mmCIF file of all heavy atoms in Angstrom:
data_model
loop_
_atom_site.group_PDB
_atom_site.id
_atom_site.type_symbol
_atom_site.label_atom_id
_atom_site.label_comp_id
_atom_site.label_asym_id
_atom_site.label_seq_id
_atom_site.Cartn_x
_atom_site.Cartn_y
_atom_site.Cartn_z
ATOM 1 N N SER A 69 3.247 25.261 3.919
ATOM 2 C CA SER A 69 2.832 24.369 5.012
ATOM 3 C C SER A 69 1.848 23.369 4.429
ATOM 4 O O SER A 69 1.139 23.656 3.465
ATOM 5 C CB SER A 69 2.192 25.147 6.160
ATOM 6 O OG SER A 69 1.027 25.817 5.726
ATOM 7 N N PHE A 70 1.849 22.181 5.017
ATOM 8 C CA PHE A 70 0.913 21.157 4.564
ATOM 9 C C PHE A 70 0.480 20.341 5.767
ATOM 10 O O PHE A 70 1.202 20.224 6.777
ATOM 11 C CB PHE A 70 1.547 20.265 3.494
ATOM 12 C CG PHE A 70 2.717 19.447 3.967
ATOM 13 C CD1 PHE A 70 2.537 18.154 4.465
ATOM 14 C CD2 PHE A 70 4.013 19.958 3.910
ATOM 15 C CE1 PHE A 70 3.620 17.397 4.899
ATOM 16 C CE2 PHE A 70 5.098 19.208 4.340
ATOM 17 C CZ PHE A 70 4.898 17.930 4.831
ATOM 18 N N ALA A 71 -0.711 19.790 5.654
ATOM 19 C CA ALA A 71 -1.263 18.973 6.742
ATOM 20 C C ALA A 71 -0.913 17.508 6.497
ATOM 21 O O ALA A 71 -0.880 17.043 5.363
ATOM 22 C CB ALA A 71 -2.765 19.144 6.821
ATOM 23 N N TYR A 72 -0.649 16.814 7.601
ATOM 24 C CA TYR A 72 -0.354 15.384 7.519
ATOM 25 C C TYR A 72 -1.172 14.667 8.582
ATOM 26 O O TYR A 72 -1.156 15.046 9.758
ATOM 27 C CB TYR A 72 1.131 15.126 7.739
ATOM 28 C CG TYR A 72 1.473 13.658 7.915
ATOM 29 C CD1 TYR A 72 1.442 12.784 6.838
ATOM 30 C CD2 TYR A 72 1.796 13.148 9.176
ATOM 31 C CE1 TYR A 72 1.740 11.444 7.000
ATOM 32 C CE2 TYR A 72 2.092 11.812 9.345
ATOM 33 C CZ TYR A 72 2.059 10.955 8.254
ATOM 34 O OH TYR A 72 2.347 9.633 8.429
ATOM 35 N N GLU A 73 -1.865 13.627 8.140
ATOM 36 C CA GLU A 73 -2.616 12.789 9.071
ATOM 37 C C GLU A 73 -1.846 11.499 9.278
ATOM 38 O O GLU A 73 -1.584 10.760 8.326
ATOM 39 C CB GLU A 73 -4.015 12.498 8.520
ATOM 40 C CG GLU A 73 -4.883 11.711 9.493
ATOM 41 C CD GLU A 73 -6.301 11.543 8.983
ATOM 42 O OE1 GLU A 73 -6.693 12.274 8.044
ATOM 43 O OE2 GLU A 73 -7.006 10.656 9.513
ATOM 44 N N ALA A 74 -1.442 11.265 10.514
ATOM 45 C CA ALA A 74 -0.567 10.136 10.821
ATOM 46 C C ALA A 74 -1.196 8.821 10.403
ATOM 47 O O ALA A 74 -2.408 8.618 10.522
ATOM 48 C CB ALA A 74 -0.221 10.124 12.302
ATOM 49 N N GLY A 75 -0.349 7.939 9.896
ATOM 50 C CA GLY A 75 -0.793 6.607 9.513
ATOM 51 C C GLY A 75 0.277 5.588 9.857
ATOM 52 O O GLY A 75 1.398 5.939 10.248
ATOM 53 N N ILE A 80 8.095 7.212 4.847
ATOM 54 C CA ILE A 80 7.481 8.496 4.498
ATOM 55 C C ILE A 80 8.587 9.328 3.853
ATOM 56 O O ILE A 80 9.558 9.709 4.507
ATOM 57 C CB ILE A 80 6.906 9.222 5.729
ATOM 58 C CG1 ILE A 80 5.912 8.319 6.466
ATOM 59 C CG2 ILE A 80 6.235 10.523 5.308
ATOM 60 C CD1 ILE A 80 5.425 8.907 7.779
ATOM 61 N N LEU A 95 12.418 20.654 7.186
ATOM 62 C CA LEU A 95 11.053 20.307 7.564
ATOM 63 C C LEU A 95 10.884 20.566 9.046
ATOM 64 O O LEU A 95 11.649 20.020 9.867
ATOM 65 C CB LEU A 95 10.769 18.834 7.226
ATOM 66 C CG LEU A 95 9.347 18.343 7.520
ATOM 67 C CD1 LEU A 95 8.318 19.103 6.681
ATOM 68 C CD2 LEU A 95 9.227 16.838 7.292
ATOM 69 N N ASN A 96 9.955 21.436 9.362
ATOM 70 C CA ASN A 96 9.688 21.807 10.746
ATOM 71 C C ASN A 96 10.950 22.274 11.465
ATOM 72 O O ASN A 96 11.214 21.935 12.622
ATOM 73 C CB ASN A 96 9.034 20.635 11.499
ATOM 74 C CG ASN A 96 7.709 20.236 10.872
ATOM 75 O OD1 ASN A 96 6.935 21.088 10.452
ATOM 76 N ND2 ASN A 96 7.460 18.937 10.785
ATOM 77 N N GLY A 97 11.739 23.055 10.748
ATOM 78 C CA GLY A 97 12.916 23.685 11.332
ATOM 79 C C GLY A 97 14.162 22.838 11.347
ATOM 80 O O GLY A 97 15.215 23.315 11.781
ATOM 81 N N THR A 98 14.096 21.597 10.873
ATOM 82 C CA THR A 98 15.257 20.701 10.853
ATOM 83 C C THR A 98 15.691 20.436 9.418
ATOM 84 O O THR A 98 14.860 20.104 8.568
ATOM 85 C CB THR A 98 14.918 19.363 11.535
ATOM 86 O OG1 THR A 98 14.544 19.601 12.894
ATOM 87 C CG2 THR A 98 16.115 18.425 11.500
ATOM 88 N N VAL A 114 11.548 11.296 5.720
ATOM 89 C CA VAL A 114 11.109 12.277 6.733
ATOM 90 C C VAL A 114 10.237 11.619 7.803
ATOM 91 O O VAL A 114 9.536 12.309 8.536
ATOM 92 C CB VAL A 114 10.355 13.446 6.064
ATOM 93 C CG1 VAL A 114 11.282 14.212 5.135
ATOM 94 C CG2 VAL A 114 9.110 12.975 5.309
ATOM 95 N N ARG A 115 10.324 10.314 7.909
ATOM 96 C CA ARG A 115 9.443 9.607 8.846
ATOM 97 C C ARG A 115 9.618 10.092 10.270
ATOM 98 O O ARG A 115 8.644 10.187 11.039
ATOM 99 C CB ARG A 115 9.729 8.098 8.771
ATOM 100 C CG ARG A 115 8.744 7.229 9.549
ATOM 101 C CD ARG A 115 8.931 5.764 9.180
ATOM 102 N NE ARG A 115 7.981 4.916 9.873
ATOM 103 C CZ ARG A 115 8.200 4.360 11.052
ATOM 104 N NH1 ARG A 115 9.354 4.573 11.675
ATOM 105 N NH2 ARG A 115 7.295 3.581 11.614
ATOM 106 N N GLU A 116 10.863 10.430 10.646
ATOM 107 C CA GLU A 116 11.119 10.877 12.015
ATOM 108 C C GLU A 116 10.925 12.371 12.193
ATOM 109 O O GLU A 116 11.007 12.876 13.310
ATOM 110 C CB GLU A 116 12.556 10.495 12.415
ATOM 111 C CG GLU A 116 12.875 9.014 12.308
ATOM 112 C CD GLU A 116 11.921 8.156 13.137
ATOM 113 O OE1 GLU A 116 11.568 8.603 14.253
ATOM 114 O OE2 GLU A 116 11.523 7.080 12.648
ATOM 115 N N ARG A 117 10.682 13.103 11.103
ATOM 116 C CA ARG A 117 10.587 14.564 11.191
ATOM 117 C C ARG A 117 9.180 15.094 10.956
ATOM 118 O O ARG A 117 8.874 16.212 11.386
ATOM 119 C CB ARG A 117 11.524 15.198 10.139
ATOM 120 C CG ARG A 117 12.985 14.824 10.313
ATOM 121 C CD ARG A 117 13.525 15.276 11.643
ATOM 122 N NE ARG A 117 14.926 14.880 11.840
ATOM 123 C CZ ARG A 117 15.583 15.011 12.976
ATOM 124 N NH1 ARG A 117 14.973 15.516 14.044
ATOM 125 N NH2 ARG A 117 16.844 14.629 13.066
ATOM 126 N N ILE A 118 8.348 14.314 10.267
ATOM 127 C CA ILE A 118 7.004 14.790 9.981
ATOM 128 C C ILE A 118 6.152 14.668 11.243
ATOM 129 O O ILE A 118 6.416 13.840 12.118
ATOM 130 C CB ILE A 118 6.399 13.998 8.807
ATOM 131 C CG1 ILE A 118 5.271 14.776 8.143
ATOM 132 C CG2 ILE A 118 5.953 12.600 9.242
ATOM 133 C CD1 ILE A 118 4.874 14.221 6.787
ATOM 134 N N ARG A 119 5.115 15.496 11.321
ATOM 135 C CA ARG A 119 4.283 15.472 12.523
ATOM 136 C C ARG A 119 2.805 15.529 12.150
ATOM 137 O O ARG A 119 2.442 15.992 11.064
ATOM 138 C CB ARG A 119 4.649 16.630 13.437
ATOM 139 C CG ARG A 119 4.466 18.005 12.861
ATOM 140 C CD ARG A 119 5.183 19.050 13.688
ATOM 141 N NE ARG A 119 4.964 20.401 13.167
ATOM 142 C CZ ARG A 119 5.712 21.461 13.471
ATOM 143 N NH1 ARG A 119 6.740 21.330 14.311
ATOM 144 N NH2 ARG A 119 5.438 22.655 12.971
ATOM 145 N N GLN A 120 2.008 15.066 13.074
ATOM 146 C CA GLN A 120 0.566 15.125 12.900
ATOM 147 C C GLN A 120 0.130 16.584 12.790
ATOM 148 O O GLN A 120 0.594 17.455 13.520
ATOM 149 C CB GLN A 120 -0.126 14.467 14.097
ATOM 150 C CG GLN A 120 -1.631 14.580 14.126
ATOM 151 C CD GLN A 120 -2.321 13.660 13.134
ATOM 152 O OE1 GLN A 120 -1.704 12.700 12.668
ATOM 153 N NE2 GLN A 120 -3.557 13.943 12.811
ATOM 154 N N GLY A 121 -0.766 16.852 11.809
ATOM 155 C CA GLY A 121 -1.267 18.212 11.660
ATOM 156 C C GLY A 121 -0.403 19.026 10.716
ATOM 157 O O GLY A 121 0.100 18.531 9.707
ATOM 158 N N ALA A 122 -0.187 20.287 11.061
ATOM 159 C CA ALA A 122 0.527 21.217 10.168
ATOM 160 C C ALA A 122 2.023 20.951 10.187
ATOM 161 O O ALA A 122 2.630 20.724 11.242
ATOM 162 C CB ALA A 122 0.239 22.651 10.584
ATOM 163 N N ASN A 123 2.620 21.013 8.989
ATOM 164 C CA ASN A 123 4.057 20.863 8.832
ATOM 165 C C ASN A 123 4.581 22.030 7.996
ATOM 166 O O ASN A 123 3.936 22.458 7.028
ATOM 167 C CB ASN A 123 4.394 19.554 8.120
ATOM 168 C CG ASN A 123 4.179 18.343 8.993
ATOM 169 O OD1 ASN A 123 5.105 17.829 9.600
ATOM 170 N ND2 ASN A 123 2.919 17.879 9.072
ATOM 171 N N GLU A 124 5.766 22.525 8.374
ATOM 172 C CA GLU A 124 6.370 23.652 7.675
ATOM 173 C C GLU A 124 7.543 23.150 6.831
ATOM 174 O O GLU A 124 8.471 22.531 7.355
ATOM 175 C CB GLU A 124 6.863 24.707 8.675
ATOM 176 C CG GLU A 124 5.783 25.232 9.605
ATOM 177 C CD GLU A 124 4.658 25.913 8.857
ATOM 178 O OE1 GLU A 124 4.959 26.623 7.867
ATOM 179 O OE2 GLU A 124 3.484 25.724 9.246
ATOM 180 N N LEU A 125 7.466 23.409 5.528
ATOM 181 C CA LEU A 125 8.493 22.973 4.592
ATOM 182 C C LEU A 125 9.185 24.199 4.003
ATOM 183 O O LEU A 125 8.521 25.133 3.544
ATOM 184 C CB LEU A 125 7.861 22.131 3.480
ATOM 185 C CG LEU A 125 8.787 21.621 2.369
ATOM 186 C CD1 LEU A 125 9.907 20.757 2.937
ATOM 187 C CD2 LEU A 125 7.974 20.831 1.337
ATOM 188 N N LEU A 183 4.782 14.052 -1.424
ATOM 189 C CA LEU A 183 4.978 13.213 -0.246
ATOM 190 C C LEU A 183 4.539 11.798 -0.602
ATOM 191 O O LEU A 183 3.428 11.602 -1.116
ATOM 192 C CB LEU A 183 4.140 13.752 0.917
ATOM 193 C CG LEU A 183 4.430 13.173 2.301
ATOM 194 C CD1 LEU A 183 5.810 13.609 2.795
ATOM 195 C CD2 LEU A 183 3.350 13.615 3.294
#
Side-chain angles (χ1 to χ4, degrees):
S69 61
F70 64 92
Y72 170 73
E73 184 175 344
I80 305 173
L95 182 63
N96 299 321
T98 300
V114 296
R115 188 168 182 270
E116 303 303 321
R117 300 299 178 188
I118 202 165
R119 61 195 182 197
Q120 174 75 19
N123 287 263
E124 303 299 321
L125 178 59
L183 192 68

